[in-house]
Amino acid sequence: MKKIILGVCALSLVGFMSCKEDATAKIKSENVVDAAERDANSGSFAMVEFEEVEHDFGTIKNGTPVETIFKYKNTGSSPLVVSNIQSTCGCTVPSDWTKQVAPGETGEMKVKFDGKGNGVVTKSITLTTNTEKGSETVRIKATVEGDPNASGQPMTQQPAEGAQSIMQQPARKYSTQPGHEGHNHD
């Protein structure tokens, strides 16, 4: 039995020794150059700088659409790529953005807000980028004046025949999701 085990070990040793090759012979010189360049640039991300990170529309009437343009500059040494832009809700629509910005150059995006809500309304717009963080965020803000005629009848008046009084109406459900302040999703 010992002879069989020794024979298998000797055969395995010969097999392993015959498969040993010089690993340096497999390295391609162009891969070394590419790897060195990649390693040298690994710390150089695109960097974005905005003219303003929050735009305040001021006081607007409920339902009044407004828009602004956010301008941004690539202050890094690599090209800036903005692959996607999303807002916190459908009432804020980003569009027409510059997808690639060379180092030192500027880009822009248009943001439209439908002006819905009541009181101070703030919405965030997130840009998916190739910066070190992977995304950048800007905000819009507005003080939305509610429609004084939309509040219904004064409490001293009786509801019209067949209409429900305020006390009889079912409770409204308001969204508790972040970014949905100022309007509800009934």
Side-chain angles (χ1 to χ4, degrees):
M1 181 75 171
K2 289 182 180 180
K3 289 182 182 183
I4 295 174
I5 293 175
L6 283 174
V8 170
C9 288
L11 187 58
S12 298
L13 185 59
V14 171
F16 286 128
M17 296 300 270
S18 65
C19 293
K20 185 177 175 183
E21 291 181 28
D22 184 14
T24 58
K26 293 183 177 182
I27 297 174
K28 294 182 180 175
S29 61
E30 64 265 10
N31 290 346
V32 172
V33 172
D34 290 344
E37 186 176 318
R38 181 189 64 234
D39 290 346
N41 292 330
S42 66
S44 62
F45 290 97
M47 296 174 64
V48 64
E49 183 178 295
F50 291 92
E51 281 186 6
E52 64 178 347
V53 291
E54 181 174 280
H55 179 79
D56 189 347
F57 288 111
T59 302
I60 61 173
K61 293 199 181 296
N62 188 23
T64 303
V66 290
E67 67 180 50
T68 188
I69 294 178
F70 282 95
K71 294 185 179 184
Y72 47 92
K73 181 176 183 176
N74 180 358
T75 58
S77 58
S78 297
L80 171 67
V81 177
V82 181
S83 59
N84 192 24
I85 300 179
Q86 290 184 316
S87 66
T88 52
C89 78
C91 61
T92 307
V93 181
S95 63
D96 301 329
W97 74 87
T98 308
K99 293 180 174 45
Q100 291 191 3
V101 181
E105 298 296 317
T106 59
E108 63 184 31
M109 72 171 167
K110 185 187 302 184
V111 177
K112 295 179 184 178
F113 173 57
D114 68 6
K116 302 258 187 212
N118 191 14
V120 177
V121 179
T122 303
K123 303 295 176 187
S124 295
I125 299 98
T126 303
L127 295 82
T128 304
T129 64
N130 64 332
T131 59
E132 188 170 8
K133 291 190 306 184
S135 66
E136 304 292 329
T137 303
V138 294
R139 285 172 293 289
I140 59 168
K141 175 179 163 183
T143 302
V144 181
E145 291 181 336
D147 184 358
N149 298 325
S151 63
Q153 301 169 341
M155 293 288 284
T156 57
Q157 291 183 349
Q158 295 294 323
E161 193 171 318
Q164 293 180 331
S165 74
I166 292 175
M167 299 302 285
Q168 295 170 327
Q169 294 177 357
R172 297 185 76 172
K173 297 178 184 174
Y174 292 91
S175 174
T176 58
Q177 296 178 353
H180 285 85
E181 305 86 1
H183 65 275
N184 58 43
H185 292 273
D186 289 338

